Amino acid sequence: MNLFDVYPLYDITPVKALDCAIVDEKGIEYLDLYGGHGVISIGHTHPHYVDKLKDQLDNIGFYSNAIQNPLQLELAHKLGRLSGLEDYTLFLCSSGAEANENALKLASFHNNKSRVIAFDNAFHGRTSAAVAVTDNKKIVAPINAQQVVTFLPLNNIALVEAELKKGDVSSVIIEGIQGVGGLDQGTTEFFQALEKICMAYDVVLILDEVQSGYGRSGKFFAHQHHNIKADIICLAKGMGNGFPIGGILIAPKFKASYGLLGTTFGGNHLACAAGIAVLDVIESEKLMDNVNKIYAYFLEAIKQIPEVIQVKGRGLMLGVEFDFDVSALRKKMIVDKHIFTGNANNKNLLRILPPLTINKEALDTFIKALKESVAELK
């Protein structure tokens, strides 16, 4: 049997990783400025993380949600404290798409409506409702397209309110910072107005923080830069530092009932151990402080490359935009300079999502390699 061929692959086989470095089977070391789509938050194979998982595996790795699991409560308490959202409740699942799926479902249960407002260039996942609110027709199958979704441009509150006035909108889903779409984001004015009108029209405001959360923006959640509160917040990626875990934070106004939401693997013992380890390290190593320090350093350092038009995003969720297609540049950075970066729907943009542990020396290596690569391609 062969694999179903849906991923274009680089000819690189990683066998070892530590912090921001990856080593392949040939012994070549790569600087990881992408973290596997922003998943690696506290660095590859962080010793505290590894110890937590090993210790948990020696005891119990999995059982269903039909029994008591104190690790779930420990994770919820730590997450509430570090995010400043202790009055919210936590539902655990296994991925970002599943988190968004449950958020949309819970919203629809709450107000008994079904239409969703999403935004141009949004990406929320590949499962049924999550892909329906993703702005990419190539990955929306006919079975997904039966969902009723309206896509609107970012930062036009008048268009959003005009749709909400029709009375059939269940939820508005928006990324704290757009990921795949190209690092665009709502303005503070837009986010604050969105919060107000969702409240006024009994519409659930869902913040997809799957990529932009967990300290990556310099605050625990990107929407906290705008001084707003969401009804439901969706989590995954950096939450487990590579172990599959996701979840939604749910505002107090939502009432739980048995069977309302459910999952087989969500909140299992190993996943919770990984999630607790990540929060331990974010707190003990003051990683959000490091994000803000490195972000400021990056904005200055990137000025050495005049071909850069702008830097989009915030914290360590960044897009470096040029006035040309960066496909060849990204390939050169990986193959010749041994540095991983990411791409986006915006073909002129390099996506930078390193572990939150990244230091200035690593950024200097990136800037030097980027400068050389741009010159060599010319």
Side-chain angles (χ1 to χ4, degrees):
M1 182 185 292
N2 289 318
L3 297 174
F4 196 51
D5 189 12
V6 292
Y7 300 117
L9 301 177
Y10 282 99
D11 187 19
I12 299 169
T13 305
V15 295
K16 188 77 174 173
L18 180 64
D19 196 19
C20 298
I22 292 173
V23 180
D24 74 5
E25 61 181 351
K26 300 170 186 173
I28 298 170
E29 184 173 308
Y30 294 80
L31 174 61
D32 186 8
L33 295 187
Y34 192 55
H37 307 304
V39 166
I40 302 301
S41 50
I42 60 170
H44 292 280
T45 59
H46 190 287
H48 177 65
Y49 174 84
V50 172
D51 288 345
K52 268 279 195 190
L53 282 169
K54 283 181 176 178
D55 290 346
Q56 188 58 49
L57 198 54
D58 282 336
N59 292 300
I60 180 172
F62 173 83
Y63 206 75
S64 77
N65 285 302
I67 47 81
Q68 299 287 331
N69 183 350
L71 292 172
Q72 293 184 353
L73 272 177
E74 183 181 350
L75 176 57
H77 291 157
K78 283 181 183 287
L79 178 52
R81 181 170 57 82
L82 289 186
S83 67
L85 298 171
E86 291 176 284
D87 58 335
Y88 283 57
T89 52
L90 173 65
F91 173 78
L92 289 165
C93 55
S94 300
S95 71
E98 193 183 353
N100 287 329
E101 199 81 26
N102 279 289
L104 293 162
K105 182 178 182 179
L106 183 59
S108 188
F109 271 134
H110 176 75
N111 54 27
N112 203 34
K113 295 185 281 188
S114 60
R115 187 159 68 103
V116 181
I117 301 298
F119 294 92
D120 295 347
N121 287 320
F123 186 93
H124 297 291
R126 293 175 180 269
T127 54
S128 183
V131 79
V133 295
T134 290
D135 188 23
N136 182 351
K137 290 182 174 59
K138 291 179 181 177
I139 63 172
V140 179
I143 195 171
N144 311 128
Q146 62 189 311
Q147 309 279 353
V148 185
V149 181
T150 302
F151 288 95
L152 298 174
L154 275 175
N155 296 320
N156 190 327
I157 200 66
L159 290 181
V160 179
E161 186 163 19
E163 295 300 324
L164 268 53
K165 283 180 178 177
K166 296 175 183 178
D168 63 337
V169 174
S170 170
S171 59
V172 173
I173 186 167
I174 184 171
E175 292 158 275
I177 302 169
Q178 288 190 334
V180 174
L183 285 299
D184 290 315
Q185 57 187 309
T187 63
T188 294
E189 180 184 22
F190 180 72
F191 271 112
Q192 291 181 352
L194 197 56
E195 179 189 33
K196 288 177 183 173
I197 63 171
C198 283
M199 196 178 301
Y201 292 100
D202 187 30
V203 171
V204 176
L205 177 58
I206 300 171
L207 254 295
D208 178 349
E209 294 273 9
V210 166
Q211 191 169 115
S212 54
Y214 261 69
R216 184 158 290 282
S217 73
K219 288 187 180 289
F220 201 89
F221 293 120
H223 73 272
Q224 292 173 326
H225 287 283
H226 309 295
N227 195 30
I228 66 164
K229 284 203 167 186
D231 295 313
I232 305 174
I233 304 164
C234 304
L235 325 169
K237 293 198 184 292
M239 188 176 187
N241 200 51
F243 197 97
I245 183 172
I248 54 176
L249 296 186
I250 303 163
K253 70 181 183 181
F254 294 88
K255 302 305 175 191
S257 62
Y258 293 148
L260 187 72
L261 302 177
T263 174
T264 297
F265 296 104
N268 69 73
H269 296 76
L270 276 176
C272 287
I276 291 164
V278 167
L279 292 174
D280 288 345
V281 173
I282 286 175
E283 183 175 29
S284 65
E285 298 188 7
K286 298 181 171 59
L287 291 188
M288 283 189 283
D289 290 344
N290 188 60
V291 169
N292 289 313
K293 178 179 72 176
I294 296 298
Y295 176 45
Y297 187 79
F298 184 94
L299 291 178
E300 284 302 311
I302 202 70
K303 291 177 182 177
Q304 299 174 42
I305 304 172
E307 292 84 359
V308 173
I309 293 175
Q310 64 174 326
V311 175
K312 300 169 75 173
R314 191 194 294 264
L316 290 177
M317 186 173 175
L318 299 171
V320 180
E321 189 171 21
F322 295 83
D323 63 356
F324 55 85
D325 187 318
V326 299
S327 300
L329 175 60
R330 179 170 174 252
K331 184 175 181 180
K332 188 174 188 61
M333 290 289 286
I334 295 174
V335 175
D336 295 345
K337 307 300 182 182
H338 305 140
I339 297 176
F340 289 172
T341 61
N343 60 357
N345 288 348
N346 180 347
K347 300 304 180 188
N348 293 357
L349 186 134
L350 282 179
R351 202 150 47 118
I352 311 297
L353 299 164
L356 309 188
T357 54
I358 194 85
N359 58 35
K360 291 178 180 178
E361 291 73 23
L363 278 190
D364 289 340
T365 299
F366 166 69
I367 296 295
K368 180 175 182 291
L370 187 60
K371 187 188 297 185
E372 291 173 353
S373 296
V374 169
E376 288 163 13
L377 286 171
K378 280 184 174 181

